[in-house]
Amino acid sequence: MSSPDTTTVHAAGCVLWRRSPIDGELEICLVHRPKYDDWSHPKGKLKRGEDALAGALREVAEETGYEATPGTRLSTVRYLANGRPKQVQYWAAEATAGAFTPNTEVDRILWLPPTAARNRLTQQRDRALIDELLAALHLA
């Protein structure tokens, strides 16, 4: 019998990408969360009964202002957050339309080339997702 504080937190997100409007090169979107002062991929907790992919796309829209077309399913990342197990399912997703507006959850976003994005990410565990994206897009 598990106590409530050991229940796994289910979340979903996307490695959001686009082709640069300037040179057509691949760019990856990272979000800055002032609450944690970190850089990460857009992600968030799923609502009760919510489909993981639907939740991932909802979080992308809420955090970045962009609509996205989902692509390849990427890894599920597992770690402890505030002492509770958390698992985040990720997808590759191409940004299609939209514009960022700062909000309380995310105050900045950056569109970066893959190497710069990998270096900017706060958590080591998020970096492998960029390699997975490149492989999915056949750029690795």
Side-chain angles (χ1 to χ4, degrees), residues 26-129:
L26 180 73
E27 294 181 326
I28 295 169
C29 182
L30 300 184
V31 298
H32 181 262
R33 303 180 303 168
K35 178 178 175 184
Y36 304 104
D37 190 25
D38 70 351
W39 288 96
S40 68
H41 300 293
K43 65 179 182 299
K45 291 181 194 149
L46 295 175
K47 295 179 175 174
R48 187 180 302 278
E50 184 175 33
D51 174 76
L53 178 55
L57 294 172
R58 175 182 54 76
E59 286 291 337
V60 165
E62 287 176 6
E63 293 190 356
T64 70
Y66 283 86
E67 294 171 28
T69 302
T72 307
R73 171 84 190 265
L74 304 174
S75 288
T76 296
V77 178
R78 294 174 175 83
Y79 55 96
L80 283 176
N82 301 319
R84 289 178 64 188
K86 184 170 186 174
Q87 75 171 35
V88 186
Q89 298 176 62
Y90 282 100
W91 281 265
E94 182 178 7
T96 52
F100 175 68
T101 304
N103 57 64
T104 52
E105 197 176 354
V106 174
D107 62 352
R108 287 184 286 161
I109 67 171
L110 284 176
W111 289 98
L112 297 170
T115 301
R118 188 184 291 110
N119 293 337
R120 179 65 63 108
L121 282 164
T122 302
Q123 297 294 335
Q124 187 74 37
R125 62 179 172 256
D126 290 336
R127 295 178 184 164
L129 292 162

